[in-house]
Amino acid sequence: MWSIHFPRGGHLQGREGIQSCAVTVAPDGSIFVADGYGSNYVLKFDKDRKFVKAFGGPGEAEGKFKTCHGIALDTRPGKALLLVCNRNNNRVNTGTSTATS
């Protein structure tokens, strides 16, 4: 059994832990966690569960989340496409660079 620990520092400072709503794993082993009940960021970890980056954050503007509640990765041929259910903004956010960089 293993776990992923909440990253410390930066714009996530002061948070106590991940309140995840969903998780998806990329073909390269990267792990994406939708922290919809906590920070409203999507957290990216590498295949060794080391924190890489966080993106999104609370808000209504494009790229921001109000309860990022579901997450999936479309890996059909071409660039991987990350899909994030932005529940209380009534939309699905997508991003190709987010998933691969």
Side-chain angles (χ1 to χ4, degrees):
M1 186 167 148
W2 55 268
S3 61
I4 295 176
H5 298 283
F6 194 78
R8 300 289 175 213
H11 51 278
L12 299 174
Q13 188 66 31
R15 301 280 179 187
E16 292 301 314
I18 300 171
Q19 296 180 17
S20 62
C21 292
V23 175
T24 193
V25 179
D28 69 356
S30 295
I31 301 164
F32 295 90
V33 178
D35 187 25
Y37 291 138
S39 67
N40 270 300
Y41 281 89
V42 172
L43 309 172
K44 181 179 180 180
F45 298 86
D46 68 15
K47 64 181 177 159
D48 299 314
R49 300 182 309 276
K50 188 174 170 188
F51 177 70
V52 175
K53 67 180 179 178
F55 54 91
E60 295 181 11
E62 187 64 35
K64 299 293 184 181
F65 302 114
K66 283 177 76 178
T67 314
C68 46
H69 202 268
I71 192 167
L73 194 60
D74 180 357
T75 59
R76 290 178 288 182
K79 227 175 194 182
L81 181 65
L82 187 67
L83 307 160
V84 181
C85 176
N86 196 345
R87 188 175 83 182
N88 291 329
N89 278 333
N90 299 314
R91 64 180 181 243
V92 174
N93 289 45
T94 62
T96 53
S97 62
T98 306
T100 59
S101 60

